[in-house]
Amino acid sequence: MISLVRRAAALCALGAALTACGTSGAGQTLRPAPSAPAPSPSPSRTPTLAPGPAGLTPVFEHGPRTDGTKNGTKDGKTVALTFDADMTADQGPRAAAGERFDNPRLIATLRRLKVPATVFMTGRWAEEYPDEARSIGRDPQFEIANHSYSHYAYTDDCYGLPTVAKADMRSDLERAYAAFEKAGVPNPMPYFRFPGGCYDDTALKELSATGVTAVQWDVVSGDAFATDADAVTRQVLDGVRPGSVVVMHCTRSAAPVTEEVVRAVVPELRRQGYRFVKVSQLIGAANGRA
């Protein structure tokens, strides 16, 4: 049995804060509006993992722990920076009041530094910022993956987040892909990140028919609600190993120092011989395709 994942005190704080500021209480069941089946998220050639035991949704945490040597040449150690674009289903009033759940400066910095990245986006975020979602999704430097529509938890007791009923898990995921399509995002990836990083076998079973690969991480940046960029930078640099997946956030109000952290982390990791890649490239390497 794959045990419930509960990592990162930073994500705990993020989940609790998102819930506390919403209009619905913890434990409330999400009932997404009925929707047509979501379009295919991306071409079939996109690397994914084979189903897990008993056909469960596979879970990916990091790529191969190699130094990048292949066929006698040195390609560099790889690391994937990932950014969760979080907005819960009930945070529309906060956005209307002026709170910013996006971070254009962060995206601009990634572009300027030429850092490929994977953005795990909620459908609600794409609805709120369709122009930004489309711009990110159409930029070959980035790839957009699914972070649910609602950012409600797929298990009970997940940092105080409201929960998605078992019967609604698949439709919540598909509703996010529908939101991406409406925003004009081409070919979102068949990757899914559980809100709060919380999952169990029930959730993995419910999503198995969608064909997604669940993507977790092995390095917690600690950027959620952090105000000390140096401390977050040290945490990332101390945690990265070849093949690492680093989780950060693309939400100004919830992660105000992330852009500053990226400006410090990127040149240092490059100095150490790391090459930045997208999650799809790490999964491809794990499958022996890269």
Side-chain angles (χ1 to χ4, degrees), residues 30-71:
L30 173 72
R31 295 291 179 184
S35 62
S40 177
S42 64
S44 59
R45 289 175 295 177
T46 300
T48 56
L49 296 184
L56 297 181
T57 298
V59 180
F60 180 78
E61 293 185 354
H62 61 78
R65 301 296 197 189
T66 66
D67 64 0
T69 300
K70 185 177 182 181
N71 298 326

Side-chain angles (χ1 to χ4, degrees), residues 257-277:
V257 302
T258 306
E259 187 270 341
E260 183 178 352
V261 170
V262 166
R263 283 191 279 114
V265 162
V266 168
E268 175 56 23
L269 287 179
R270 281 177 169 158
R271 187 191 68 79
Q272 295 178 21
Y274 281 93
R275 179 170 59 91
F276 293 97
V277 298

Side-chain angles (χ1 to χ4, degrees), residues 3-286:
S3 61
L4 176 67
V5 173
R6 292 188 178 88
R7 299 188 199 176
L11 285 180
C12 175
L14 178 60
L18 289 172
T19 301
C21 296
T23 59
S24 59
Q28 179 170 331
T29 299
L30 173 72
R31 295 291 179 184
S35 62
S40 177
S42 64
S44 59
R45 289 175 295 177
T46 300
T48 56
L49 296 184
L56 297 181
T57 298
V59 180
F60 180 78
E61 293 185 354
H62 61 78
R65 301 296 197 189
T66 66
D67 64 0
T69 300
K70 185 177 182 181
N71 298 326
T73 63
K74 196 81 168 180
D75 194 30
K77 300 170 288 188
T78 56
V79 59
L81 300 185
T82 70
F83 299 87
D84 291 356
D86 294 340
M87 185 173 179
T88 63
D90 53 18
Q91 288 179 324
R94 289 173 59 185
E99 183 169 350
R100 301 299 303 195
F101 297 92
D102 61 343
N103 196 338
R105 185 175 177 183
L106 169 63
I107 299 300
T109 294
L110 291 168
R111 284 174 168 147
R112 178 175 60 81
L113 295 176
K114 296 180 171 54
V115 178
T118 303
V119 179
F120 287 87
M121 188 179 293
T122 69
R124 185 63 188 86
W125 195 101
E127 288 180 346
E128 190 68 27
Y129 306 108
D131 292 343
E132 293 181 53
R134 182 168 55 254
S135 175
I136 296 169
R138 292 182 177 180
D139 188 334
Q141 183 174 319
F142 303 113
E143 59 189 14
I144 288 180
N146 196 315
H147 196 29
S148 81
Y149 173 81
S150 62
H151 203 263
Y152 290 174
Y154 282 54
T155 68
D156 294 327
D157 190 24
C158 181
Y159 309 128
L161 287 171
T163 55
V164 180
K166 174 183 174 182
D168 295 330
M169 291 178 181
R170 179 174 175 178
S171 60
D172 185 56
L173 178 153
E174 291 175 339
R175 190 177 178 187
Y177 280 125
F180 300 160
E181 181 183 40
K182 185 176 181 180
V185 174
N187 298 324
M189 307 303 284
Y191 306 144
F192 180 75
R193 175 165 285 166
F194 286 97
C198 301
Y199 68 90
D200 56 18
D201 280 358
T202 297
L204 295 177
K205 182 178 180 180
E206 289 301 309
L207 299 185
S208 60
T210 68
V212 298
T213 292
V215 176
Q216 297 289 95
W217 55 82
D218 66 314
V219 178
V220 176
S221 69
D223 67 337
F225 298 109
T227 57
D228 186 344
D230 290 339
V232 177
T233 298
R234 287 194 300 271
Q235 184 157 318
V236 172
L237 295 177
D238 288 346
V240 166
R241 299 171 58 195
S244 279
V245 176
V246 182
V247 59
M248 298 186 186
H249 294 85
C250 185
T251 313
R252 256 185 287 180
S253 60
V257 302
T258 306
E259 187 270 341
E260 183 178 352
V261 170
V262 166
R263 283 191 279 114
V265 162
V266 168
E268 175 56 23
L269 287 179
R270 281 177 169 158
R271 187 191 68 79
Q272 295 178 21
Y274 281 93
R275 179 170 59 91
F276 293 97
V277 298
K278 305 170 193 174
V279 165
S280 58
Q281 292 168 275
L282 284 186
I283 294 178

